[in-house]
Amino acid sequence: MDINSPYFHPEFETLSRPEIEALQLDRLQKTVHHCMSNPFYRERFKQCGLHPEDIRTLDDLRRIPFTTKQDLRATYPFGMSAVPLEKCVRLHSSSGTTGNPTVILHTQADLDAWAEALARCLWMVGLRPGDVFQNSSGYGMFTGGLGFQYAAERLGMLTVPAAAGNTKRQIKFITDFGTTALHAIPSYAARLYEVMKAEGIDPRRDTKLRVLAIGAEPHSEEQRQRIEEMLGVKAYNSFGMSEMCGPGVAFECKEQNGMHIWEDYYIVEIVDPETLEPVPEGEIGELVLTTLRREAMPLLRYRTRDLTRILPGKCPCGREHKRLDRMKGRSDDMIILKGVNIFPIQIEQILLQFPQLRTDYLITLESAAENDTMLVEVELQELFTDDYGHLEKLTKEIQQRLRDEILVTPRVRLVPPGSLPRQEGKAVRVKDLRKKF
Ligand code: COA
Ligand code: AMP
Ligand code: ZN
């Protein structure tokens, strides 16, 4: 590996548009054939009278029906697999016990390809062997943990798998081990700075931090700039999702002007979330991805529910892989808090298990002292005084059950019946008051 090269994979990163598209067609045809080993896709194709041989051009992709999160849930746990389970070496799963979580399976080849894709991203922003890479993502099921771990090792950096939480220890690692690069979700980067300040640590003077990979939750350009100013770093937007492996799907280059999506791994479409027709080039719509290198769980036209657009024009860095604009929101009601994905229905279903509660609840998301929080207010069936500490016990129990379900700890407040706001008779479920910088 030539450490002076700007490319980790020159053979793929320097492809021209026609070369990218020729490679995509070849890989798409192979992927579609491979999907036929999976009963779900076999049935899908049969239902719409489609045969793998019908996919002759990239435009033919549009003849294939979309795949949705609901399909993944309905085939829980292993129904989306296109290889025998014995060939799989890892699975990642979403949070939740209510309803079926989603499961993503990987063969060793999938894990290798994933590590390579993300190593390519980290190399692109100037990281090299000799850098010290610290990861503040949760390990375990969160793909930001193992995903960045293997990629940073693949690149050849000294890695510090600090994992989420314990901010003081996180900072000690940064200063003592000479951490030069950090992966953190944007809201947590702000928390790190606050604690550094309180500890009398000046990140510019007392640390070697120079690069941050930030992602896993929506953030603005202002928020990025603020992180860069606070920590004295360059912060690069990192996009991915468990269904596509995890981080490494799209990443900003040094131009910091949109995230290159690796088109040797994915075919990208942007569709209108209502009509499901393609939007005109450069307009915002829902991101739809087709995997081109997946062995265990290839996905055709997967509706990500993320809203974004493809940036027009060429990137000055010379890479011709398309660039995604920063995420503009979601076309469903998923909340992302502290880098954790939460559906309001998960909260509702836990609350429904308590006979003392009504079905009216309100989730409020706030930024408090550089730490995002969730407050769940829920109406009691009837008002009673807390003479014996019953309400306090009930509150704690609800909080614990919610934490087990959504993986973050909300504050819970029990309120009198009929006291939560309603709009035209309909309950308001989520209020997002988080600072948008
Ligand atoms: N990343 C790293 N640490 C985080 C964090 C995040 N996104 N959000 C909060 N923390 C820290 C808090 O600052 C706190 O540490 P401190 O008091 O020493 O500063 C500690 O984790 C506990 O956080 P708290 O908010 O009190 O608890 P919680 O129960 O609500 O949250 C977490 C639990 C932090 C473990 C959970 O939010 C998590 O695992 N987040 C990371 C998710 C992730 O990695 N996503 C990436 C997916 S690619
Ligand atoms: P997960 O499957 O837990 O990795 O979560 C994936 C989701 O996180 C995506 O579908 C997006 O909604 C969100 N996400 C990931 N990266 C980013 C990013 N850079 N900006 C905004 N949202 C992101
Ligand atoms: Zn570029």
Side-chain angles (χ1 to χ4, degrees):
M1 184 68 65
D2 172 9
I3 67 162
N4 294 316
S5 167
Y7 306 112
F8 190 71
H9 294 136
E11 68 281 27
F12 293 112
E13 288 175 75
T14 59
L15 292 176
S16 64
R17 286 301 320 157
E19 288 167 333
I20 289 174
E21 283 163 23
L23 179 70
Q24 284 188 320
L25 179 59
D26 178 51
R27 289 189 171 177
L28 173 64
Q29 288 170 330
K30 288 186 177 130
T31 299
V32 168
H33 276 280
H34 179 46
C35 281
M36 293 306 108
S37 327
N38 166 259
F40 168 85
Y41 277 122
R42 241 183 0 247
E43 187 54 31
R44 269 283 159 92
F45 270 55
K46 208 169 119 194
Q47 275 168 9
C48 56
L50 199 63
H51 298 277
E53 296 71 34
D54 297 334
I55 307 302
R56 293 193 194 92
T57 67
L58 282 180
D59 283 341
D60 288 332
L61 176 66
R62 287 184 51 201
R63 300 175 63 184
I64 302 174
F66 293 97
T67 307
T68 63
K69 204 185 261 289
Q70 190 43 43
D71 295 326
L72 267 53
R73 289 189 177 128
T75 53
Y76 177 87
F78 303 136
M80 292 302 287
S81 180
V83 299
L85 209 55
E86 306 85 80
K87 275 203 78 181
C88 299
V89 296
R90 194 188 311 155
L91 70 75
H92 283 272
S93 176
S94 61
S95 69
T97 54
T98 59
N100 285 336
T102 51
V103 164
I104 313 298
L105 289 161
H106 302 274
T107 64
Q108 187 57 51
D110 291 330
L111 295 181
D112 291 342
W114 176 15
E116 292 272 329
L118 185 51
R120 182 194 291 182
C121 301
L122 298 173
W123 187 280
M124 178 167 67
V125 297
L127 297 177
R128 295 291 182 272
D131 272 296
V132 180
F133 184 88
Q134 185 165 326
N135 189 7
S136 69
S137 251
Y139 277 61
M141 289 297 178
F142 292 112
T143 54
L146 292 175
F148 270 98
Q149 182 64 32
Y150 284 111
E153 288 175 6
R154 180 65 53 104
L155 195 152
M157 291 187 277
L158 172 61
T159 57
V160 185
N166 201 339
T167 308
K168 283 191 185 156
R169 194 173 74 134
Q170 202 84 245
I171 293 167
K172 184 169 169 56
F173 288 166
I174 293 173
T175 52
D176 293 2
F177 302 151
T179 299
T180 55
L182 176 75
H183 172 237
I185 70 155
S187 55
Y188 189 62
R191 164 88 184 140
L192 267 173
Y193 176 68
E194 285 306 310
V195 178
M196 280 186 186
K197 230 172 38 180
E199 300 278 296
I201 290 170
D202 174 352
R204 291 165 196 270
R205 186 192 60 205
D206 304 322
T207 81
K208 292 187 177 156
L209 275 180
R210 64 183 184 87
V211 168
L212 238 70
I214 50 170
E217 68 181 7
H219 56 281
S220 61
E221 181 55 33
E222 291 69 31
Q223 194 171 358
R224 179 243 291 281
Q225 282 174 13
R226 196 163 162 236
I227 289 168
E228 292 191 329
E229 276 159 31
M230 286 187 306
L231 296 174
V233 295
K234 281 278 175 205
Y236 297 97
N237 197 352
S238 153
F239 174 79
M241 78 193 63
S242 307
E243 296 92 318
M244 298 294 130
C245 280
V249 175
F251 211 93
E252 280 180 328
C253 67
K254 283 186 167 177
E255 300 295 328
Q256 294 184 305
N257 185 13
M259 299 177 280
H260 286 287
I261 176 151
W262 299 126
E263 293 185 84
D264 50 327
Y265 280 78
Y266 305 101
I267 296 179
V268 51
E269 297 172 84
I270 307 284
V271 303
D272 181 316
E274 299 294 324
T275 65
L276 300 181
E277 289 300 318
V279 299
E281 199 169 320
E283 285 191 14
I284 292 175
E286 184 180 318
L287 177 69
V288 171
L289 295 175
T290 296
T291 66
L292 295 175
R293 290 196 56 177
R294 288 281 284 289
E295 215 176 41
M297 240 181 89
L299 292 173
L300 301 175
R301 306 193 81 200
Y302 183 72
R303 287 190 62 187
T304 68
R305 297 300 199 145
D306 288 311
L307 300 175
T308 183
R309 67 187 184 119
I310 291 174
L311 290 174
K314 281 193 181 178
C315 184
C317 81
R319 290 176 185 82
E320 297 208 20
H321 295 255
K322 287 176 183 162
R323 287 168 304 156
L324 300 182
D325 200 353
R326 59 180 65 253
M327 298 298 130
K328 307 287 180 199
R330 303 258 319 164
S331 67
D332 62 7
D333 60 353
M334 189 178 93
I335 297 165
I336 306 181
L337 182 73
K338 304 179 197 182
V340 182
N341 302 344
I342 301 161
F343 288 94
I345 187 77
Q346 292 179 273
I347 293 177
E348 184 168 316
Q349 288 184 351
I350 294 296
L351 298 178
L352 277 172
Q353 292 168 14
F354 289 87
Q356 305 93 322
L357 306 177
R358 283 188 169 198
T359 51
D360 296 294
Y361 65 94
L362 174 64
I363 301 166
T364 307
L365 306 169
E366 284 176 290
S367 305
E370 303 301 355
N371 208 351
D372 290 353
T373 59
M374 175 188 283
L375 169 67
V376 177
E377 290 172 285
V378 55
E379 290 185 5
L380 284 161
Q381 284 288 7
E382 53 186 299
L383 200 53
F384 50 96
T385 50
D386 197 12
D387 291 345
Y388 303 102
H390 285 148
L391 285 188
E392 200 187 325
K393 197 162 155 268
L394 177 62
T395 307
K396 284 226 169 81
E397 201 184 328
I398 298 169
Q399 184 185 44
Q400 183 59 45
R401 295 273 287 278
L402 286 173
R403 203 216 126 90
D404 290 346
E405 175 66 26
I406 61 174
L407 308 179
V408 296
T409 318
R411 284 180 297 126
V412 173
R413 187 182 295 153
L414 305 179
V415 299
S419 61
L420 290 176
R422 283 163 180 73
Q423 267 171 2
E424 291 165 13
K426 206 170 162 277
V428 184
R429 295 300 189 204
V430 183
K431 228 165 63 181
D432 193 347
L433 306 176
R434 282 177 290 184
K435 253 184 270 165
K436 295 281 187 271
F437 291 95

